[in-house]
């Protein structure tokens, strides 16, 4: 039986995407070749890369000066790529510290210049999103993490600044409508809401590249990749293909506006259960709650074995919280059906029936 997959990442993708991808591994486009054994310069694969890039443009409604690349290294290399392309050596960039991933981004930017923390929710154990964020004077950009996968917090409104705005959108890209034109650069590792692990998408205003004046190692230089249409070196052909199929699926299902409504319904369902069930309590403050990753715990930890048994028996996977937060985390990415959240809330109700 297929599991109700609440894994935080790598995570659930639509079943139809899995099936089409598995076909392509055997025989792609009736070519007599597997997708993963053909040249990345073949007509068939170049068409995949171009469709993936153009689907991002279409689904995010990008202005014509925005470009899209599918590279490697995950969002973790994106931290450094962001700094190399937008932070002049020795310059200043502002960072919002909302948890683990934000801190990793700050660490990498320090290779280039002063990564100044201008807002932090560290003292509140990252249960909230700071408000009123301003960039430090002289900043090249403000960097923030739109959704904090581990702590289960999410920006509901984005900071407004005079400098460039850069965002790690790894765990909520394509989950809700955003005005991409507000951002100089967005990047996102694929494996949370776009595809399998192995590729990271960069979305940026191409007119703003090359302004930092840095000597940039080739692989980290977005201009190098753009000049080669995302084929500077051998691209991760399978992750790009599966991401493309997933974006096709999203488009066929009404695009970002439609999935945003489903994501809201899923989030409303889980949070109303957390708030009404006396056996559970949420981690994040109500107005900072993530629609992608709901973090919560038992009010009485001695019920953990009972609850774990219930959700395991219900066919639920991936509910354990991150080790730094504990408790539970229900990751509800685009491909997770509302029905899976209903199954989860039923097990929570069942625990209350038996134990409350
Ligand atoms: C998972 C995650 C990352 C790290 O992504 P990798 O692709 O593993 O490097 C970075 N930022 C956020 C918000 C994440 O959720």
């Amino acid at each position: 039986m297929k599991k109700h997959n609440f894994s935080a990442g790598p995570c659930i993708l639509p079943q139809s995407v899995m099936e089409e991808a598995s076909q392509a591994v055997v025989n792609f486009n009736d070519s007599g070749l597997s997708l993963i054994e053909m040249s990345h310069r073949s007509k068939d694969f170049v068409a995949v890369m171009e469709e993936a890039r153009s689907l991002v443009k279409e689904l995010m409604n990008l202005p014509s000066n925005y470009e899209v690349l599918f590279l490697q290294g995950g969002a973790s290399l994106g931290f450094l790529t962001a700094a190399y392309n937008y932070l002049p050596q020795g310059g200043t960039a502002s960072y919002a510290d909302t948890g683990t991933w934000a801190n990793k981004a700050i660490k990498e930017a320090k290779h280039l210049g002063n990564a100044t923390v201008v807002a932090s929710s560290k003292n509140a154990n990252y249960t909230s999103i700071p408000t009123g964020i301003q960039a430090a004077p002289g900043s090249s950009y403000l960097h923030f993490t739109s959704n904090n996968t581990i702590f289960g917090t999410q920006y509901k409104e984005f900071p407004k600044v005079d400098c460039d705005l850069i965002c790690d959108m790894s765990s909520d890209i394509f989950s809700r409508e955003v005005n991409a034109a507000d951002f100089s650069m967005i990047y996102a590792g694929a494996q949370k809401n776009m595809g399998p692990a192995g590729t990271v998408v960069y979305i940026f205003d191409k007119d703003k590249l090359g302004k930092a004046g840095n000597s940039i190692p080739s692989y980290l230089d977005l201009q190098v990749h753009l000049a080669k249409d995302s084929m500077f070196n051998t691209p991760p052909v399978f992750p790009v293909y599966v991401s493309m199929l997933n974006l096709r699926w999203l488009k066929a299902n009404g695009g970002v506006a439609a999935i945003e409504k489903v994501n809201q319904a899923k989030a409303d369902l889980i949070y109303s259960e957390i708030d009404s069930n006396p056996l559970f309590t949420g981690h994040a403050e109500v107005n900072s709650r993530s629609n992608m990753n709901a973090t919560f715990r038992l009010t009485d930890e001695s019920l953990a074995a009972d609850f774990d048994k219930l959700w395991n028996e219900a066919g639920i996977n991936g509910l354990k919280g991150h080790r730094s937060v504990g408790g539970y985390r229900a990751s509800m990415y685009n491909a997770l059906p509302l029905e899976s959240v209903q199954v989860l809330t039923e097990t929570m109700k069942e625990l209350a029936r038996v134990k409350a």
Side-chain angles (χ1 to χ4, degrees):
M1 192 191 86
K2 181 71 186 162
K3 298 263 176 147
H4 298 286
N5 190 2
F6 288 85
S7 175
C11 71
I12 187 170
L13 291 170
Q15 195 60 22
S16 60
V17 165
M18 305 289 192
E19 275 153 25
E20 197 169 348
S22 67
Q23 273 302 312
V25 169
V26 179
N27 181 5
F28 183 51
N29 281 353
D30 253 331
S31 61
L33 292 170
S34 165
L35 172 86
I36 58 173
E37 66 174 350
M38 63 171 55
S39 168
H40 60 288
R41 309 269 175 212
S42 63
K43 200 162 75 355
D44 289 277
F45 185 75
V46 170
V48 169
M49 179 62 93
E50 286 314 304
E51 184 173 346
R53 295 172 76 200
S54 80
L55 279 166
V56 174
K57 290 180 184 175
E58 185 181 342
L59 287 163
M60 291 194 70
N61 207 1
L62 296 183
S64 60
N65 51 321
Y66 277 62
E67 273 297 346
V68 177
L69 298 170
F70 282 86
L71 307 181
Q72 301 187 48
S76 295
L77 192 61
F79 302 150
L80 188 60
T81 302
Y84 261 107
N85 286 273
Y86 299 91
L87 175 56
Q89 193 87 40
T92 297
S94 294
Y95 279 75
D97 165 24
T98 51
T100 311
W101 298 117
N103 275 287
K104 292 191 178 191
I106 292 163
K107 182 173 177 222
E108 298 306 316
K110 287 183 174 162
H111 286 287
L112 270 291
N114 307 311
T116 308
V117 175
V118 292
S120 175
S121 50
K122 187 176 182 181
N123 290 338
N125 194 22
Y126 298 120
T127 51
S128 63
I129 296 292
T131 53
I133 299 174
Q134 302 276 325
S139 291
S140 302
Y141 61 79
L142 174 82
H143 178 284
F144 72 103
T145 315
S146 54
N147 183 71
N148 298 280
T149 327
I150 292 175
F151 294 93
T153 61
Q154 185 178 34
Y155 286 77
K156 301 299 165 185
E157 268 172 46
F158 299 136
K160 289 190 176 48
V161 287
D162 294 332
C163 56
D164 287 341
L165 194 59
I166 296 183
C167 186
D168 172 4
M169 252 182 225
S170 292
S171 52
D172 66 353
I173 192 164
F174 303 119
S175 73
R176 56 175 170 170
E177 290 194 288
V178 301
N179 184 19
D182 290 342
F183 298 84
S184 296
M185 202 264 272
I186 293 167
Y187 61 104
Q191 71 276 14
K192 308 283 170 40
N193 211 22
M194 188 176 71
T199 189
V200 49
V201 68
Y202 289 87
I203 298 161
F204 51 86
D205 178 348
K206 66 177 184 323
D207 298 336
K208 289 192 169 166
L209 291 181
K211 301 237 159 95
N214 292 327
S215 162
I216 308 179
S218 305
Y219 199 86
L220 301 183
D221 189 340
L222 294 175
Q223 285 185 307
V224 166
H225 290 287
L226 183 57
K228 299 288 184 188
D229 285 323
S230 214
M231 296 266 204
F232 164 68
N233 68 333
T234 315
V237 292
F238 188 69
V240 172
Y241 175 67
V242 181
S243 298
M244 185 277 281
L245 291 181
N246 191 37
L247 295 174
R248 264 191 198 163
W249 171 87
L250 180 56
K251 182 179 168 185
N253 284 278
V256 176
I259 207 81
E260 181 171 3
K261 293 203 178 74
V262 181
N263 289 335
Q264 191 61 50
K266 290 185 289 183
D268 289 345
L269 185 58
I270 185 83
Y271 287 120
S272 76
E273 184 61 28
I274 290 169
D275 291 340
S276 62
N277 190 320
L279 299 186
F280 294 94
T281 178
H283 174 78
E285 279 179 18
V286 171
N287 57 8
S288 295
R289 281 172 164 174
S290 166
N291 282 7
M292 293 280 96
N293 315 91
T295 44
F296 57 99
R297 55 174 52 86
L298 287 159
T299 47
D300 174 0
E301 292 290 341
S302 74
L303 296 177
D306 295 298
F307 182 50
D308 293 352
K309 184 162 180 284
L310 277 176
W311 60 261
N312 272 297
E313 283 172 2
I316 286 170
N317 171 67
L319 203 64
K320 270 260 169 290
H322 188 271
R323 58 194 177 280
S324 61
V325 180
Y328 300 94
R329 171 173 51 170
S331 296
M332 305 174 291
Y333 300 115
N334 285 355
L336 186 85
L338 180 64
E339 181 214 338
S340 291
V341 184
Q342 283 160 348
V343 170
L344 172 57
T345 55
E346 281 308 316
T347 69
M348 295 163 77
K349 285 190 207 304
E350 175 65 12
L351 188 71
R353 264 195 295 276
V354 184
K355 298 288 173 186

